[in-house]
Amino acid sequence: MAKKNDIFKGKSAVELAEKMGLSKKDLEVCGKYSAKLNSEAVQRLRRGGKAKLIVVAPTMPVYGTDNQHYIICERFVQAFSLLRKSTLLCVPSYSLEDMLVHETYNNLFPLQDVLTGSGEISNIAYLHNFIANYINNQLIYNSNSSSLPYHLMWNRVATSRDEALKKVITGFGNTKPGRTLKEEGFMHMQNSELLAVVAASMTEEELKSRLSKIMVGISRENTAVHLKDIKLDDTVFEMLKGAMNPKLMQNRNGDPVMVYTSPTGNFLPEGNPLAISAAMSLADFVIAKFDSGVPLSIEKFFNITCAENEITPDMVVITAFVNELNTYGGATLENSRQKNLAALEKGIQVLIGDVENVKKFGVPVLVSICENRDITMDEIKIIDKYCSDLGVKPVFSHTKNYSTKAGIDFVKSVLEIIRIEKSYFKPIYENEIPLKDKINMIVKEVYNKNKVTYSGKAEKEFGLFERMGYGKLHVSVSRSPYWHEPSLQNEINIKSASLYAGAGLVMATAEDGEFMPYYNGKYNIDRVKNVLYK
Amino acid sequence: MAKKNDIFKGKSAVELAEKMGLSKKDLEVCGKYSAKLNSEAVQRLRRGGKAKLIVVAPTMPVYGTDNQHYIICERFVQAFSLLRKSTLLCVPSYSLEDMLVHETYNNLFPLQDVLTGSGEISNIAYLHNFIANYINNQLIYNSNSSSLPYHLMWNRVATSRDEALKKVITGFGNTKPGRTLKEEGFMHMQNSELLAVVAASMTEEELKSRLSKIMVGISRENTAVHLKDIKLDDTVFEMLKGAMNPKLMQNRNGDPVMVYTSPTGNFLPEGNPLAISAAMSLADFVIAKFDSGVPLSIEKFFNITCAENEITPDMVVITAFVNELNTYGGATLENSRQKNLAALEKGIQVLIGDVENVKKFGVPVLVSICENRDITMDEIKIIDKYCSDLGVKPVFSHTKNYSTKAGIDFVKSVLEIIRIEKSYFKPIYENEIPLKDKINMIVKEVYNKNKVTYSGKAEKEFGLFERMGYGKLHVSVSRSPYWHEPSLQNEINIKSASLYAGAGLVMATAEDGEFMPYYNGKYNIDRVKNVLYK
């Protein structure tokens, strides 16, 4: 990584593209330093991918550690580059607020473009809320139509984690007949089905088809009302299709990075199969960085995205920090950086669970253990012991003084695994089984819990979706990204179910899952400032 | 205009730029067909403008006629082009919903890019709501700070005309201490001060300075709290600065068009001095198209934007349709297309008032009267009579069968006025006088009313802003764009005042002005569909 005071001069998008064997004709240049791959290029590339796909995900970040996982992933990429391996990093775009929440220092350049490249996301939010307003308009001016939703299933979204909007009463300023006070809820943008269908679609036809299936409500006659029924699917398609294609950007070493549009994995599937497949034609190793932990992100990416698109992940790198393991084991966040062997021995069980889970999918695993200090011999001993029981060899590194040697050690371990271990990837459930059985399997196999309970509301909703013919969709368990709290022991309670027919799934929201998550800390703007101005 | 069934192949942004003597180096290309002018180019160009500036504005659209004004303006531009006059059209970007509300068929290509080019606007909306959420976060986690607003003056925005959000009670889902139920109101994005400061700024320094002056509330100690005090000004600047520069796009004849970011004139000043000044270096005639009527858009553009930036408009073209004049005169919208001499004779007074108002600014006027049928001799006679009393010669045209001759007649009249009449532009008020005096002058001189009344709330607010030292700012009268309703007779009531210190003005909201305007009709999506797919 370039030093903080270096003045980095970015490469042009064309230079970046040429480095990967692409030409100007494959690009829709956006500004000085970045470009969208155009549809022709992406559609050509997505078919030929031969790269090894390495998925990098954290165990489970605790407050303030997302940042560490980003940095360590960047260093892995750099070590590949030092060894002259052709590598391409794929990451989701994110917003200014995401940066504050995750305290992520992202090495992308120019950072402003990544954040306003959440222009894609702002535009999708615009369209999402336009649909909500359009439905309200039709309910007033077209109220005889039988194709109008009586029970609305399309909430407005907010682009901020704005808890005050979680539940509101609207309509105090209404002036039109037919409008009343209503209890409504805003969802965070990350829960938008529009965002999910953009991220999931491999072709324009698929996007079109997914949009037409989106259900916005139920009519008075008790029939499903789709985006197609209110005649919005084509228009929304025309407005969204540009957001499908990934953006070619760069890190502060001038290495190309693929930035794509995607939800975060705690609600809806994280990752973008079109971007990742295309990337697999452009390098020998594709590193796909996921933000949420293994159970949230990897489960959805594997069971839904990879399964649907026949993408085979070659290996998973789980990054874990000693302070996180200590926290899982009961250490307070403040003291978690200190050596605490008892906490470590307890907390490592979470990591071990993650390793086992990835293995259930048939995918080889590497564990990378990091800390901002030297990891002591007795800590290494504990970690080694549990890992070796599973036949996994952890790689250790000091993240503050990350050395070239540490990077090379890591890449060597990766290459060794890829050489020796073959991926026998398969999803852990079949879509044929009922919705609740799929959830039970996920909770048992991936969350390592023995029991799932359902609220009365959730029971009813699952029943309804099964009767409506949606029983063979995927399921997505929506939880807090920081779910591993002591109060959540051996069971998970599902409080509600939501249909995302266009995204091809039914979302099951756990007790701690929030359609409007909030940030439980103070936004520290200074940290972002320092990064932006460089 | 190209026929609807023609397949138009767009020109590349570089071709467009070369047509106007610009090179690739001046551009930040965005996709295949358009480009932002980069900062160096815009800053160089804004100083050298020698073009004649022709401002085109409607009298006052009635429901469903905004569209007509757009089309007629496009035809003017085409006629200039037929006569080989170097001309550049400047228009604001707009959203999908704007298209539905105004039923505007816009001739820009590719239309999708204009609408998602409201990506600028979506991003500004994102930042606006981020600020609201950031303030709430600081109020909880940093509540001892004396630089925090106690009385909040920063409402959230919605990008849709979503009346249900005009007044809401928030916080039913709150889980954190210190959060309570609150009555809050969303504003439409068009009222965002961020949007106003982006549109108003000629340089990055100016944008920075305007952002630092934005006031977000009043502290417990009764002092003003600015965006700068909560340390957000620099970060917001970094995120916004790219939105300042105009976009070079094209119409369906392949002629270049400059698209800029700006509010609509009924709330905050419409127009973008940076884009318009730069355009004035690129052609002999710059046509700036305004959406709102003369009193709303022209008043603000002249008194605020032109006055501050020493821009001299060379002439104003007022476009009016016979059906609008009939409507002002009492004809119902349904019957307004029919000949109705009594209504016309009454309604033409609105147009005559507009002509007089433009003349008060010292700017020559041309009136263009259109209708979707032949205008009859007796109608022409009435219109001619009132116009000739003011020394104005109207140009008539049949918009459905608009002929080359009609276009050439129009351009000849324009050239004749520019040749003979000099613009002695000056604003109609001096900033030195108190806020309410400025409002009184605007209402008297531009709205032709003899009385302004103020609600108790407004009185208090004006008093406060004067005492705080904001008395010498501009004022902006915020009204419904369809304000000329019979109930609004000889007086205007100002119901509230709002400080836009960064935008350099105090907004006075009239009885019919709405921070969250709504659309009083059915959105007809089919109309947009037909345009998008071409």
Short mmCIF file of all heavy atoms in Angstrom, two decimals, chain A residues 29 31 95 97 112 126 133 137 141 156 161-164 169 171 175 179 231 234 238 520-521 523 526 533, chain B residues 29 31 97 112 122 126 133 137 141 156 162-164 167 169 171 175 179 231 234 238 520-521 523 526 533:
data_model
loop_
_atom_site.label_atom_id
_atom_site.label_comp_id
_atom_site.label_asym_id
_atom_site.label_seq_id
_atom_site.Cartn_x
_atom_site.Cartn_y
_atom_site.Cartn_z
N VAL A 29 -15.98 4.87 -20.67
CA VAL A 29 -15.15 5.62 -19.73
C VAL A 29 -16.02 6.54 -18.87
O VAL A 29 -16.98 7.12 -19.36
CB VAL A 29 -14.10 6.43 -20.52
CG1 VAL A 29 -13.32 7.36 -19.60
CG2 VAL A 29 -13.15 5.48 -21.24
N GLY A 31 -15.16 9.56 -16.44
CA GLY A 31 -14.18 10.43 -15.81
C GLY A 31 -12.76 9.99 -16.14
O GLY A 31 -12.53 9.18 -17.05
N SER A 95 -21.00 3.36 0.37
CA SER A 95 -21.35 4.77 0.50
C SER A 95 -20.50 5.45 1.57
O SER A 95 -19.81 4.80 2.34
CB SER A 95 -22.82 4.89 0.86
OG SER A 95 -23.00 4.46 2.20
N GLU A 97 -21.59 6.77 4.21
CA GLU A 97 -22.00 6.29 5.54
C GLU A 97 -21.45 4.90 5.83
O GLU A 97 -21.07 4.61 6.97
CB GLU A 97 -23.53 6.29 5.64
CG GLU A 97 -23.98 6.16 7.08
CD GLU A 97 -25.50 6.15 7.19
OE1 GLU A 97 -26.08 7.24 7.21
OE2 GLU A 97 -26.07 5.06 7.23
N GLN A 112 -13.54 9.35 -3.89
CA GLN A 112 -14.78 10.08 -4.16
C GLN A 112 -15.63 9.36 -5.21
O GLN A 112 -16.85 9.33 -5.12
CB GLN A 112 -14.48 11.49 -4.69
CG GLN A 112 -14.16 12.51 -3.61
CD GLN A 112 -12.69 12.47 -3.21
OE1 GLN A 112 -12.04 11.43 -3.27
NE2 GLN A 112 -12.18 13.60 -2.77
N TYR A 126 -33.59 6.04 -5.81
CA TYR A 126 -34.54 6.95 -6.45
C TYR A 126 -35.68 6.16 -7.09
O TYR A 126 -36.86 6.44 -6.88
CB TYR A 126 -33.84 7.82 -7.51
CG TYR A 126 -34.87 8.59 -8.31
CD1 TYR A 126 -35.45 9.73 -7.78
CD2 TYR A 126 -35.33 8.13 -9.54
CE1 TYR A 126 -36.45 10.40 -8.46
CE2 TYR A 126 -36.33 8.79 -10.22
CZ TYR A 126 -36.89 9.93 -9.68
OH TYR A 126 -37.89 10.57 -10.34
N ASN A 133 -44.19 5.82 -4.76
CA ASN A 133 -45.02 6.98 -5.00
C ASN A 133 -45.98 6.75 -6.17
O ASN A 133 -47.13 7.17 -6.15
CB ASN A 133 -44.13 8.20 -5.28
CG ASN A 133 -44.88 9.50 -5.17
OD1 ASN A 133 -45.79 9.61 -4.35
ND2 ASN A 133 -44.54 10.45 -6.00
N ASN A 137 -50.01 6.97 -6.22
CA ASN A 137 -50.70 7.80 -7.22
C ASN A 137 -51.80 6.99 -7.92
O ASN A 137 -52.93 7.46 -8.09
CB ASN A 137 -49.67 8.33 -8.23
CG ASN A 137 -50.31 9.13 -9.35
OD1 ASN A 137 -50.80 8.55 -10.32
ND2 ASN A 137 -50.33 10.45 -9.23
N TYR A 141 -55.79 7.70 -8.31
CA TYR A 141 -56.36 8.12 -9.59
C TYR A 141 -56.82 6.98 -10.49
O TYR A 141 -57.29 7.20 -11.58
CB TYR A 141 -55.35 9.00 -10.35
CG TYR A 141 -55.16 10.32 -9.67
CD1 TYR A 141 -54.06 10.56 -8.86
CD2 TYR A 141 -56.13 11.32 -9.80
CE1 TYR A 141 -53.92 11.78 -8.21
CE2 TYR A 141 -55.99 12.53 -9.15
CZ TYR A 141 -54.88 12.75 -8.35
OH TYR A 141 -54.75 13.94 -7.71
N ARG A 156 -41.00 2.19 1.30
CA ARG A 156 -39.98 3.14 0.88
C ARG A 156 -38.61 2.75 1.45
O ARG A 156 -38.53 2.06 2.46
CB ARG A 156 -40.32 4.54 1.38
CG ARG A 156 -41.60 5.12 0.83
CD ARG A 156 -41.83 6.51 1.41
NE ARG A 156 -43.15 7.02 1.05
CZ ARG A 156 -44.26 6.78 1.75
NH1 ARG A 156 -44.21 6.01 2.83
NH2 ARG A 156 -45.41 7.28 1.36
N ARG A 161 -28.79 4.91 7.59
CA ARG A 161 -29.24 4.07 8.71
C ARG A 161 -29.98 4.99 9.68
O ARG A 161 -29.43 5.43 10.68
CB ARG A 161 -28.02 3.44 9.39
CG ARG A 161 -27.36 2.36 8.56
CD ARG A 161 -25.96 2.06 9.06
NE ARG A 161 -25.31 1.03 8.27
CZ ARG A 161 -24.74 1.25 7.09
NH1 ARG A 161 -24.76 2.46 6.56
NH2 ARG A 161 -24.17 0.26 6.43
N ASP A 162 -31.22 5.27 9.35
CA ASP A 162 -31.96 6.33 10.01
C ASP A 162 -33.07 5.69 10.85
O ASP A 162 -34.19 5.49 10.38
CB ASP A 162 -32.52 7.25 8.92
CG ASP A 162 -33.03 8.56 9.46
OD1 ASP A 162 -33.30 8.63 10.68
OD2 ASP A 162 -33.18 9.51 8.67
N GLU A 163 -32.71 5.38 12.10
CA GLU A 163 -33.62 4.59 12.93
C GLU A 163 -34.97 5.26 13.13
O GLU A 163 -35.99 4.59 13.27
CB GLU A 163 -32.99 4.27 14.28
CG GLU A 163 -33.64 3.05 14.92
CD GLU A 163 -33.32 2.90 16.40
OE1 GLU A 163 -32.73 3.80 17.00
OE2 GLU A 163 -33.67 1.84 16.95
N ALA A 164 -34.98 6.59 13.12
CA ALA A 164 -36.25 7.30 13.35
C ALA A 164 -37.28 6.97 12.27
O ALA A 164 -38.47 7.17 12.47
CB ALA A 164 -35.98 8.80 13.41
N ILE A 169 -45.63 7.37 11.27
CA ILE A 169 -47.01 7.55 10.81
C ILE A 169 -47.00 8.66 9.80
O ILE A 169 -46.51 9.77 10.06
CB ILE A 169 -47.97 7.84 11.98
CG1 ILE A 169 -47.97 6.59 12.88
CG2 ILE A 169 -49.39 8.08 11.46
CD1 ILE A 169 -48.91 6.67 14.03
N GLY A 171 -48.78 10.96 6.50
CA GLY A 171 -50.03 11.48 5.97
C GLY A 171 -50.66 12.60 6.74
O GLY A 171 -51.80 12.99 6.45
N THR A 175 -53.74 16.27 1.61
CA THR A 175 -54.81 17.18 1.21
C THR A 175 -55.78 16.50 0.27
O THR A 175 -56.79 17.06 -0.11
CB THR A 175 -54.23 18.39 0.48
OG1 THR A 175 -53.41 17.91 -0.59
CG2 THR A 175 -53.41 19.25 1.41
N ARG A 179 -56.69 9.67 0.98
CA ARG A 179 -55.43 9.50 1.70
C ARG A 179 -55.68 9.60 3.18
O ARG A 179 -56.35 10.50 3.65
CB ARG A 179 -54.44 10.61 1.30
CG ARG A 179 -54.06 10.53 -0.15
CD ARG A 179 -52.69 11.09 -0.34
NE ARG A 179 -52.08 10.46 -1.48
CZ ARG A 179 -50.93 10.86 -2.01
NH1 ARG A 179 -50.29 11.87 -1.48
NH2 ARG A 179 -50.43 10.23 -3.04
N LYS A 231 -47.45 -2.03 -14.84
CA LYS A 231 -46.80 -1.55 -16.07
C LYS A 231 -45.49 -0.78 -15.85
O LYS A 231 -45.13 0.07 -16.66
CB LYS A 231 -47.78 -0.69 -16.88
CG LYS A 231 -49.04 -1.44 -17.30
CD LYS A 231 -49.70 -0.82 -18.51
CE LYS A 231 -50.53 0.38 -18.14
NZ LYS A 231 -51.22 0.99 -19.28
N ASP A 234 -40.97 -2.44 -17.60
CA ASP A 234 -40.15 -2.05 -18.76
C ASP A 234 -39.41 -0.74 -18.50
O ASP A 234 -38.23 -0.61 -18.85
CB ASP A 234 -41.03 -1.83 -19.99
CG ASP A 234 -41.63 -3.14 -20.48
OD1 ASP A 234 -41.13 -4.20 -20.06
OD2 ASP A 234 -42.59 -3.08 -21.26
N GLU A 238 -35.33 -0.11 -18.30
CA GLU A 238 -34.54 0.84 -19.10
C GLU A 238 -33.67 1.73 -18.22
O GLU A 238 -32.57 2.11 -18.59
CB GLU A 238 -35.46 1.72 -19.95
CG GLU A 238 -36.14 1.00 -21.10
CD GLU A 238 -35.15 0.51 -22.16
OE1 GLU A 238 -34.15 1.20 -22.40
OE2 GLU A 238 -35.38 -0.57 -22.73
N ASN A 520 -24.63 1.81 16.12
CA ASN A 520 -24.62 1.94 17.57
C ASN A 520 -23.34 2.62 18.04
O ASN A 520 -22.63 2.13 18.88
CB ASN A 520 -24.70 0.52 18.15
CG ASN A 520 -25.35 0.54 19.51
OD1 ASN A 520 -25.71 1.59 20.01
ND2 ASN A 520 -25.47 -0.63 20.11
N GLY A 521 -23.01 3.75 17.46
CA GLY A 521 -21.80 4.45 17.86
C GLY A 521 -21.77 5.81 17.23
O GLY A 521 -22.68 6.18 16.48
N TYR A 523 -20.53 8.58 14.68
CA TYR A 523 -19.85 8.73 13.39
C TYR A 523 -18.65 9.63 13.57
O TYR A 523 -18.77 10.75 14.06
CB TYR A 523 -20.80 9.37 12.37
CG TYR A 523 -21.89 8.45 11.88
CD1 TYR A 523 -23.19 8.92 11.74
CD2 TYR A 523 -21.62 7.15 11.53
CE1 TYR A 523 -24.21 8.09 11.27
CE2 TYR A 523 -22.63 6.30 11.06
CZ TYR A 523 -23.91 6.79 10.94
OH TYR A 523 -24.90 5.97 10.49
N ASP A 526 -13.81 12.72 11.01
CA ASP A 526 -12.39 13.03 10.77
C ASP A 526 -11.67 11.90 10.06
O ASP A 526 -10.82 12.11 9.22
CB ASP A 526 -11.68 13.31 12.11
CG ASP A 526 -12.20 14.60 12.72
OD1 ASP A 526 -12.57 15.50 11.95
OD2 ASP A 526 -12.23 14.70 13.96
N TYR A 533 -9.18 13.36 1.23
CA TYR A 533 -8.36 14.43 0.64
C TYR A 533 -7.07 13.96 0.03
O TYR A 533 -6.37 14.73 -0.59
CB TYR A 533 -8.07 15.48 1.71
CG TYR A 533 -9.31 16.07 2.28
CD1 TYR A 533 -9.28 16.82 3.43
CD2 TYR A 533 -10.53 15.86 1.66
CE1 TYR A 533 -10.43 17.34 3.96
CE2 TYR A 533 -11.68 16.37 2.19
CZ TYR A 533 -11.64 17.09 3.34
OH TYR A 533 -12.77 17.61 3.87
N VAL B 29 -15.24 11.97 -20.23
CA VAL B 29 -16.26 11.23 -20.96
C VAL B 29 -17.07 10.36 -20.00
O VAL B 29 -16.54 9.80 -19.06
CB VAL B 29 -15.58 10.36 -22.04
CG1 VAL B 29 -16.57 9.45 -22.72
CG2 VAL B 29 -14.88 11.25 -23.07
N GLY B 31 -19.67 7.41 -20.58
CA GLY B 31 -20.39 6.55 -21.49
C GLY B 31 -20.14 6.93 -22.94
O GLY B 31 -19.22 7.68 -23.26
N GLU B 97 -39.66 11.09 -12.74
CA GLU B 97 -40.93 11.62 -12.23
C GLU B 97 -41.22 13.00 -12.81
O GLU B 97 -42.38 13.31 -13.12
CB GLU B 97 -40.91 11.67 -10.71
CG GLU B 97 -42.30 11.86 -10.15
CD GLU B 97 -42.31 11.92 -8.64
OE1 GLU B 97 -42.31 10.85 -8.02
OE2 GLU B 97 -42.28 13.03 -8.09
N GLN B 112 -32.26 7.98 -21.27
CA GLN B 112 -31.92 7.27 -20.02
C GLN B 112 -30.79 7.99 -19.27
O GLN B 112 -30.81 8.07 -18.05
CB GLN B 112 -31.48 5.83 -20.30
CG GLN B 112 -32.59 4.85 -20.53
CD GLN B 112 -33.11 4.87 -21.95
OE1 GLN B 112 -33.04 5.88 -22.64
NE2 GLN B 112 -33.64 3.76 -22.40
N SER B 122 -29.73 12.42 -7.44
CA SER B 122 -29.85 11.32 -6.46
C SER B 122 -28.69 11.35 -5.47
O SER B 122 -28.88 11.11 -4.28
CB SER B 122 -29.86 9.96 -7.16
OG SER B 122 -30.91 9.85 -8.06
N TYR B 126 -28.77 11.86 -1.52
CA TYR B 126 -28.09 10.96 -0.58
C TYR B 126 -27.34 11.77 0.48
O TYR B 126 -27.47 11.53 1.68
CB TYR B 126 -27.11 10.03 -1.32
CG TYR B 126 -26.27 9.26 -0.34
CD1 TYR B 126 -26.80 8.16 0.30
CD2 TYR B 126 -25.00 9.69 0.02
CE1 TYR B 126 -26.08 7.48 1.27
CE2 TYR B 126 -24.28 9.03 0.99
CZ TYR B 126 -24.81 7.92 1.61
OH TYR B 126 -24.11 7.26 2.58
N ASN B 133 -29.03 12.46 9.12
CA ASN B 133 -28.76 11.32 9.97
C ASN B 133 -27.52 11.54 10.83
O ASN B 133 -27.47 11.16 12.00
CB ASN B 133 -28.59 10.06 9.09
CG ASN B 133 -28.68 8.79 9.90
OD1 ASN B 133 -29.44 8.73 10.86
ND2 ASN B 133 -27.91 7.79 9.52
N ASN B 137 -27.17 11.43 14.86
CA ASN B 137 -26.15 10.60 15.50
C ASN B 137 -25.35 11.43 16.51
O ASN B 137 -25.10 10.99 17.64
CB ASN B 137 -25.24 10.01 14.42
CG ASN B 137 -24.09 9.20 15.00
OD1 ASN B 137 -23.08 9.75 15.41
ND2 ASN B 137 -24.26 7.89 15.05
N TYR B 141 -24.68 10.83 20.50
CA TYR B 141 -23.37 10.38 20.98
C TYR B 141 -22.42 11.51 21.33
O TYR B 141 -21.30 11.27 21.73
CB TYR B 141 -22.72 9.46 19.94
CG TYR B 141 -23.46 8.15 19.84
CD1 TYR B 141 -24.34 7.90 18.80
CD2 TYR B 141 -23.30 7.18 20.84
CE1 TYR B 141 -25.04 6.71 18.74
CE2 TYR B 141 -24.00 5.99 20.77
CZ TYR B 141 -24.87 5.76 19.72
OH TYR B 141 -25.57 4.59 19.67
N ARG B 156 -35.18 16.21 6.25
CA ARG B 156 -34.86 15.20 5.24
C ARG B 156 -35.52 15.57 3.91
O ARG B 156 -36.53 16.28 3.88
CB ARG B 156 -35.40 13.83 5.65
CG ARG B 156 -34.76 13.25 6.90
CD ARG B 156 -35.41 11.91 7.23
NE ARG B 156 -34.98 11.40 8.51
CZ ARG B 156 -35.55 11.72 9.67
NH1 ARG B 156 -36.58 12.55 9.69
NH2 ARG B 156 -35.10 11.21 10.79
N ASP B 162 -44.01 13.07 -2.81
CA ASP B 162 -44.65 12.05 -1.99
C ASP B 162 -45.38 12.75 -0.85
O ASP B 162 -44.85 12.97 0.23
CB ASP B 162 -43.55 11.12 -1.46
CG ASP B 162 -44.11 9.84 -0.88
OD1 ASP B 162 -45.30 9.81 -0.53
OD2 ASP B 162 -43.33 8.87 -0.76
N GLU B 163 -46.65 13.09 -1.11
CA GLU B 163 -47.37 13.95 -0.18
C GLU B 163 -47.50 13.33 1.21
O GLU B 163 -47.55 14.05 2.21
CB GLU B 163 -48.78 14.29 -0.72
CG GLU B 163 -49.33 15.54 -0.06
CD GLU B 163 -50.81 15.75 -0.29
OE1 GLU B 163 -51.47 14.85 -0.83
OE2 GLU B 163 -51.30 16.82 0.08
N ALA B 164 -47.55 12.00 1.26
CA ALA B 164 -47.71 11.34 2.56
C ALA B 164 -46.54 11.67 3.50
O ALA B 164 -46.66 11.52 4.71
CB ALA B 164 -47.83 9.84 2.36
N LYS B 167 -45.87 15.62 6.26
CA LYS B 167 -45.82 15.72 7.71
C LYS B 167 -45.96 14.30 8.25
O LYS B 167 -46.93 13.61 7.94
CB LYS B 167 -46.93 16.62 8.24
CG LYS B 167 -46.54 17.34 9.52
CD LYS B 167 -47.69 18.06 10.16
CE LYS B 167 -47.93 19.47 9.62
NZ LYS B 167 -49.08 20.09 10.32
N ILE B 169 -44.94 11.50 11.76
CA ILE B 169 -44.39 11.36 13.11
C ILE B 169 -43.41 10.21 13.06
O ILE B 169 -43.75 9.10 12.64
CB ILE B 169 -45.50 11.15 14.16
CG1 ILE B 169 -46.37 12.42 14.17
CG2 ILE B 169 -44.88 10.93 15.55
CD1 ILE B 169 -47.46 12.41 15.20
N GLY B 171 -40.08 7.84 14.68
CA GLY B 171 -39.48 7.35 15.91
C GLY B 171 -40.24 6.27 16.65
O GLY B 171 -39.87 5.92 17.77
N THR B 175 -35.00 2.56 19.47
CA THR B 175 -34.56 1.67 20.53
C THR B 175 -33.52 2.35 21.42
O THR B 175 -33.12 1.80 22.42
CB THR B 175 -33.90 0.40 19.94
OG1 THR B 175 -32.86 0.82 19.05
CG2 THR B 175 -34.90 -0.46 19.21
N ARG B 179 -33.97 9.22 22.13
CA ARG B 179 -34.75 9.36 20.91
C ARG B 179 -36.22 9.34 21.25
O ARG B 179 -36.66 8.45 21.98
CB ARG B 179 -34.46 8.21 19.95
CG ARG B 179 -33.05 8.25 19.47
CD ARG B 179 -32.96 7.58 18.12
NE ARG B 179 -31.83 8.12 17.41
CZ ARG B 179 -31.40 7.67 16.24
NH1 ARG B 179 -32.04 6.67 15.66
NH2 ARG B 179 -30.38 8.22 15.65
N LYS B 231 -18.48 20.05 11.35
CA LYS B 231 -17.32 19.50 10.64
C LYS B 231 -17.66 18.70 9.38
O LYS B 231 -16.92 17.81 8.97
CB LYS B 231 -16.47 18.63 11.57
CG LYS B 231 -15.94 19.42 12.78
CD LYS B 231 -14.69 18.78 13.33
CE LYS B 231 -15.01 17.59 14.25
NZ LYS B 231 -13.82 16.99 14.83
N ASP B 234 -16.20 20.17 4.67
CA ASP B 234 -15.12 19.71 3.78
C ASP B 234 -15.47 18.40 3.10
O ASP B 234 -15.21 18.20 1.92
CB ASP B 234 -13.83 19.47 4.57
CG ASP B 234 -13.26 20.77 5.09
OD1 ASP B 234 -13.69 21.84 4.61
OD2 ASP B 234 -12.40 20.71 5.99
N GLU B 238 -16.00 17.64 -0.91
CA GLU B 238 -15.29 16.64 -1.72
C GLU B 238 -16.26 15.75 -2.49
O GLU B 238 -15.99 15.34 -3.61
CB GLU B 238 -14.40 15.76 -0.84
CG GLU B 238 -13.19 16.45 -0.28
CD GLU B 238 -12.20 16.88 -1.36
OE1 GLU B 238 -12.07 16.16 -2.37
OE2 GLU B 238 -11.58 17.94 -1.19
N ASN B 520 -51.16 16.53 -8.99
CA ASN B 520 -52.60 16.45 -8.90
C ASN B 520 -53.19 15.74 -10.12
O ASN B 520 -54.08 16.26 -10.78
CB ASN B 520 -53.14 17.88 -8.82
CG ASN B 520 -54.45 17.93 -8.07
OD1 ASN B 520 -54.96 16.88 -7.67
ND2 ASN B 520 -54.99 19.11 -7.91
N GLY B 521 -52.66 14.59 -10.44
CA GLY B 521 -53.18 13.88 -11.61
C GLY B 521 -52.60 12.50 -11.64
O GLY B 521 -51.80 12.12 -10.79
N TYR B 523 -50.23 9.61 -12.98
CA TYR B 523 -49.00 9.38 -13.73
C TYR B 523 -49.29 8.45 -14.90
O TYR B 523 -49.81 7.35 -14.70
CB TYR B 523 -47.93 8.73 -12.85
CG TYR B 523 -47.34 9.66 -11.82
CD1 TYR B 523 -47.11 9.23 -10.52
CD2 TYR B 523 -46.98 10.96 -12.15
CE1 TYR B 523 -46.55 10.07 -9.58
CE2 TYR B 523 -46.42 11.81 -11.21
CZ TYR B 523 -46.22 11.36 -9.92
OH TYR B 523 -45.66 12.19 -9.00
N ASP B 526 -47.21 5.12 -19.78
CA ASP B 526 -47.10 4.75 -21.20
C ASP B 526 -46.40 5.84 -22.01
O ASP B 526 -45.64 5.57 -22.92
CB ASP B 526 -48.48 4.49 -21.80
CG ASP B 526 -49.10 3.23 -21.20
OD1 ASP B 526 -48.32 2.32 -20.85
OD2 ASP B 526 -50.33 3.17 -21.06
N TYR B 533 -37.84 4.00 -25.14
CA TYR B 533 -37.38 2.89 -25.96
C TYR B 533 -36.86 3.30 -27.31
O TYR B 533 -36.32 2.50 -28.03
CB TYR B 533 -38.51 1.88 -26.14
CG TYR B 533 -39.01 1.34 -24.84
CD1 TYR B 533 -40.20 0.65 -24.76
CD2 TYR B 533 -38.27 1.53 -23.68
CE1 TYR B 533 -40.65 0.17 -23.56
CE2 TYR B 533 -38.74 1.06 -22.47
CZ TYR B 533 -39.92 0.39 -22.41
OH TYR B 533 -40.39 -0.09 -21.22
#
